[in-house]
Amino acid sequence: MQHTQPARPAILILCLAIVYVVWGSTYLGIRVGLEGFPPLLLAAIRMTTAGCLLLGWFKWRKVAWPSARQWKNGIIIGTMMMSIGNGFVCLAEQSVPSGLAALLVASGPVFAILFGWLFGTRPKVMEWLGVGLGILGVGLLNLDASAAASPGGVILVVIAAATWSFATILQPRLDMPKGGMSAAVQMLGGGIVLFIMSQIHGEHLPAHIPAASIGALLYLITFGSIMAYSAFVYVINHSRPALATSYAYVNPVVAVLLGATFAGESISLPLLGGMAVILAGVALIVIGHARK
């Protein structure tokens, strides 16, 4: 069993910044990618490629190879985070705008605090207040017309957020590969499961894929997976659950702004109101974390 390790503040802040900004941009990246790739196949290619590249890098640097138990645990976490967490978001973005999808993922810290409580991490008062604001913000988002038009997509994103949050709480408590090797194993394992899901779903590569979709896939592999997920693994193992999942409150701001600027997505009053309340919630969670 792993326990949360002492963090270097500067590294923790840098990793949080990467996760906040880069993952916020991946929602638009997924939307562009979906113009040329089927959803589960897009996620499968992204995760498997990133996982193989990272494993190759660590092998070249002669990093210790994971044990059989660590491989098993890594694949389990990867299935929850990559196959369900990311795969369901890709499915949902066929009908849900990228900004709204990111805002719905803001329900993640709510689940994380509840799951963490079950594992013995008692939430602080400020964290509970942040959760309350997060729930209120998500409620405001449901007043948006695009959410009402695609209830199935909304449900998929909420399931993805809950599964990802449970895996976030579970991961530090398992015997996992060390450092960035953990991200590599999770992405490779989750990517293989995504290929299986894609085949069951009947997906196939189209004859022609737009250059923009290929560029989006390369961005998702390099920045969204290799860089940002490696940073996220560090955050998971060096902070409390509420802070580790606070990216879900910041990513939406980046996603909404990028979606409106580059994809012509509308910004409604419910979206603005929900975003403001959610950001207030993450501020309380961060304050609660700082006062541990």
Side-chain angles (χ1 to χ4, degrees), residues 9-290:
I11 296 178
L12 181 61
I13 291 172
L14 175 62
C15 288
L16 277 171
I18 291 172
V19 173
Y20 283 174
V21 177
V22 174
W23 269 356
S25 69
T26 58
Y27 291 90
L28 177 61
I30 290 171
R31 172 166 177 161
V32 176
L34 289 175
E35 295 174 3
F37 293 93
L40 295 175
L41 198 53
L42 173 68
I45 296 172
R46 169 188 174 182
M47 297 304 172
T48 305
T49 304
C52 287
L53 288 173
L54 273 179
L55 283 173
W57 167 254
F58 290 128
K59 186 70 173 176
W60 179 73
R61 294 188 62 192
K62 295 181 171 54
V63 175
W65 211 242
S67 66
R69 182 176 182 180
Q70 289 173 334
W71 270 102
K72 180 195 72 174
N73 290 336
I75 292 172
I76 290 172
I77 295 296
T79 299
M80 287 190 281
M81 293 188 128
M82 309 303 160
S83 310
I84 299 175
N86 185 263
F88 278 23
V89 169
C90 290
L91 283 170
E93 280 203 41
Q94 294 178 109
S95 57
V96 173
S98 61
L100 177 59
L103 286 164
L104 287 167
V105 171
S107 62
V110 176
F111 292 109
I113 286 179
L114 294 176
F115 291 141
W117 195 11
L118 292 177
F119 280 105
T121 303
R122 187 174 182 178
K124 298 180 179 300
V125 174
M126 295 292 282
E127 291 174 335
W128 277 122
L129 291 174
V131 167
L133 286 178
I135 293 173
L136 177 60
V138 173
L140 289 173
L141 296 181
N142 288 326
L143 300 176
D144 183 76
S146 55
S150 181
V154 169
I155 292 171
L156 281 175
V157 178
V158 172
I159 292 173
T163 305
W164 183 285
S165 295
F166 180 76
T168 300
I169 301 303
L170 182 62
Q171 184 172 162
R173 293 167 168 80
L174 297 177
D175 179 17
M176 298 289 291
K178 306 303 179 185
M181 183 69 80
S182 179
V185 171
Q186 290 175 48
M187 284 189 284
L188 178 59
I192 292 172
V193 173
L194 277 163
F195 272 118
I196 297 172
M197 292 167 60
S198 175
Q199 289 302 302
I200 293 174
H201 204 245
E203 294 182 350
H204 301 282
L205 276 177
H208 173 72
I209 301 174
S213 295
I214 295 175
L217 175 60
L218 293 175
Y219 177 81
L220 291 170
I221 291 170
T222 305
F223 293 95
S225 293
I226 294 177
M227 177 187 288
Y229 194 71
S230 297
F232 180 61
V233 169
Y234 182 89
V235 174
I236 288 176
N237 289 302
H238 295 82
S239 67
R240 289 167 59 86
L243 184 62
T245 55
S246 64
Y247 67 89
Y249 288 172
V250 181
N251 290 167
V253 180
V254 178
V256 168
L257 293 176
L258 290 177
T261 303
F262 297 103
E265 296 178 359
S266 62
I267 301 180
S268 64
L269 285 177
L271 279 177
L272 287 174
M275 187 163 59
V277 173
I278 285 169
L279 285 176
V282 74
L284 290 179
I285 286 178
V286 171
I287 291 171
H289 176 272

